[in-house]
Amino acid sequence: MPAVPTRYCRSVAARRSRIPATKYPVERFTLDNGLRVVLTPDRSAPVIGVAVVYDVGIRSEPEGRTGFAHLFEHLMFQGSENLEKLAHFRHVQGAGGTFNGSTHHDYTDYFETLPANALERALFLEADRMRGPRLTEENLRNQVDVVKEEIRVNVLNRPYGGFPWLTLPPVMFDTFPNAHDGYGSFDDLESATVADAADFFRRYYASGNAVLAVSGDIDVAEATELIGRHFGDVPARPAPERPDFGEPDLTAERRQAYTDALAPLPAVASAWRVPDPITDFAGYLPYVVLAEVLTDGDASRLVERLVRRDRSVTSLGGYVGFMGDPFDVRDPTALLLQAHLPPGGDVDKVLRTIDEELDRLVTDGLAAGELARTQARMATHLLRDTDAVLGRALRMAVLEQQRGEPGLLNDLPRLVGEVTEERVRAAAATLRPERRASIEVIAGGAK
């Protein structure tokens, strides 16, 4: 077989390594009441995703009302101006759709996936509760009990409950917005009043503080008319001024430990602050890639060293954002590594090994193909997550809200693929022990 020219080999390799791009169309406009709208038509299947994102999250809830943002998310499903309790459920499911909502550090979202012929139904439902949810004493007390039960199931009565997304921020941060328990204390939840809920709604659930995104099998002109019909007369209220939640970086290592009575094995999680995801996106992206280089798959360097070779941990993960949300979070946020250890595991040794591997990455660089493999996997995940119409609507709504750039969704895989080895090494060089906050779980349920 004749030799293949070197130039040809390189050009083929370049084509094979190229990260595929998406070209989802984006239409944007703003109603007179301040509601921002993003439409992304896709006529390939008769399905739509509808998302409404409000610019309020865990960081926005006031002192003495921990867990209130999440509690209010529940209240938004308890009836509205024209609909009785549970009507939202019935109308969505009756059309063959699914729905939910979720509370994040920086926003709260509500969403539906429906057959395309149910678009107007979804718009009516979201517009109706944007005008006003049904805030009654009965609904409030009922949902306080529901949230308390969630805390029992997901935190208090579960091994590693809240680890590390609830337990690590108080170690890393000093201010209430960044450090407090986003699920909330029972005392704060029980003391919430209908007046508190009404004030929270007036302040944060304004049309000017929201983004509506619709993706899927829509005609843009028809969808625009329907949105104007249902949302156009929602009373105009401006978005509240968003506080600056920034605080200084760490200058000395912080570390705490607690005993989990249900945990069968010890665990540890560490975090380092990263650049501002919004104002310094170019500086931020290498940390997103670095987290995957360190922990994504059996071939990643920390998994290979700690799990496979040293066997000093039984599992290990890494990500950016306390909820694993690198592209829908504001500053301050962090790169996290978390690991579970075998019985009698040595947390100090694990942290030393992580430092060694970070130093080795900075000094020796990445192995051949290591970065390209990681970037290809990341691009695959990004493409998969937005292939579904709802995933696309949610991501575009948040990108519009936080950046005014919903079309960035199309560029994310390419931008991830353009992060160079030098930038990844530079990011790794900043993950020093003196900038690290760690939380250790002492196993209390080993017996």
Side-chain angles (χ1 to χ4, degrees):
M1 180 177 178
V4 179
T6 302
R7 184 171 58 186
Y8 174 79
C9 291
R10 286 176 179 167
S11 65
V12 170
R15 287 199 300 271
R16 287 176 179 170
S17 64
R18 181 182 297 173
I19 300 296
T22 55
K23 296 181 180 179
Y24 297 122
V26 180
E27 300 281 346
R28 304 167 64 216
F29 60 92
T30 302
L31 298 183
D32 291 341
N33 57 17
L35 177 68
R36 286 179 283 169
V37 180
V38 178
L39 303 178
T40 174
D42 177 359
R43 311 307 294 266
S44 61
V47 180
I48 55 167
V50 177
V52 178
V53 174
Y54 294 89
D55 199 347
V56 57
I58 291 168
R59 282 198 253 236
S60 300
E61 56 197 18
E63 292 192 53
R65 287 293 177 265
T66 58
F68 202 90
H70 177 227
L71 172 62
F72 197 87
E73 174 214 319
H74 280 246
L75 291 174
M76 287 286 281
F77 288 95
Q78 302 306 301
S80 54
E81 186 173 279
N82 293 299
L83 296 174
E84 72 279 10
K85 188 171 183 173
L86 301 182
H88 192 110
F89 300 54
R90 187 175 68 254
H91 285 296
V92 173
Q93 293 173 336
T98 59
F99 66 95
N100 212 330
S102 58
T103 308
H104 302 252
H105 279 100
D106 295 302
Y107 66 92
T108 306
D109 56 25
Y110 303 88
F111 47 87
E112 296 88 14
T113 302
L114 287 155
N117 61 6
L119 171 61
E120 185 167 14
R121 179 178 301 208
L123 297 176
F124 165 77
L125 292 171
E126 291 296 350
D128 200 51
R129 62 178 168 185
M130 184 179 286
R131 290 186 189 90
R134 191 166 294 209
L135 302 176
T136 67
E137 185 68 22
E138 177 187 0
N139 284 344
L140 177 62
R141 298 276 68 87
N142 173 269
Q143 293 310 302
V144 165
D145 288 341
V146 170
V147 172
K148 286 167 61 179
E149 186 60 21
E150 278 193 29
I151 295 171
R152 292 187 186 99
V153 171
N154 295 331
V155 180
L156 301 179
N157 296 323
R158 172 178 293 185
Y160 313 104
F163 170 79
W165 78 279
L166 292 179
T167 56
L168 188 50
V171 183
M172 168 163 272
F173 298 117
D174 296 319
T175 63
F176 174 82
N178 297 319
H180 75 276
D181 181 346
Y183 244 139
S185 74
F186 281 12
D187 287 343
D188 284 356
L189 290 168
E190 289 169 350
S191 63
T193 66
V194 173
D196 292 331
D199 182 67
F200 195 82
F201 174 77
R202 282 192 299 270
R203 180 171 177 80
Y204 294 110
Y205 278 71
S207 53
N209 207 38
V211 174
L212 165 68
V214 183
S215 175
D217 187 12
I218 58 171
D219 175 84
V220 170
E222 179 187 8
T224 300
E225 191 277 327
L226 289 173
I227 289 167
R229 182 190 308 172
H230 290 284
F231 286 89
D233 64 351
V234 173
R237 301 199 312 278
E241 183 176 350
R242 188 176 183 277
D244 179 4
F245 295 129
E247 57 179 276
D249 195 1
L250 300 185
T251 56
E253 184 176 15
R254 295 182 181 182
R255 185 167 162 184
Q256 292 183 15
Y258 68 98
T259 299
D260 184 335
L262 300 176
L265 297 170
V268 65
S270 296
W272 298 259
R273 290 277 295 276
V274 296
D276 189 318
I278 308 299
T279 64
D280 188 15
F281 193 52
Y284 172 78
L285 264 182
Y287 290 86
V288 181
V289 176
L290 173 61
E292 301 299 317
V293 166
L294 294 172
T295 64
D296 186 27
D298 289 345
S300 62
R301 53 183 57 219
L302 288 184
V303 173
E304 195 280 329
R305 172 74 187 276
L306 290 165
V307 180
R308 296 168 64 86
R309 191 199 316 175
D310 294 356
R311 298 187 179 180
S312 56
V313 307
T314 58
S315 65
L316 184 139
Y319 45 94
V320 173
F322 286 91
M323 294 182 175
D325 46 5
F327 300 120
D328 56 3
V329 66
R330 293 188 174 111
D331 188 68
T333 189
L335 183 152
L336 286 81
L337 299 174
Q338 67 179 79
H340 291 79
L341 285 64
D346 187 337
V347 169
D348 289 326
K349 179 181 178 181
V350 170
L351 295 179
R352 285 196 304 271
T353 304
I354 291 173
D355 291 337
E356 290 172 8
E357 287 299 314
L358 288 169
D359 288 341
R360 187 167 70 88
L361 191 156
V362 173
T363 302
D364 300 339
L366 297 164
E370 186 176 6
L371 179 58
R373 179 185 67 243
T374 301
Q375 290 168 318
R377 292 178 68 158
M378 293 178 70
T380 298
H381 292 315
L382 286 168
L383 294 168
R384 181 196 63 197
D385 291 346
T386 55
D387 184 56
V389 291
L390 180 59
R392 209 174 307 154
L394 284 167
R395 176 62 54 80
M396 284 195 176
V398 177
L399 290 173
E400 168 64 34
Q401 180 192 83
Q402 296 183 350
R403 302 168 182 273
E405 293 184 79
L408 182 62
L409 176 142
N410 288 318
D411 296 325
L412 284 176
R414 174 183 59 81
L415 293 172
V416 164
E418 290 176 355
V419 173
T420 64
E421 177 180 343
E422 290 74 23
R423 291 166 66 194
V424 173
R425 292 170 68 178
T430 70
L431 304 190
R432 308 307 306 160
E434 62 268 19
R435 297 185 60 244
R436 179 171 63 204
S438 298
I439 187 74
E440 177 183 351
V441 178
I442 299 170
K447 295 181 181 180

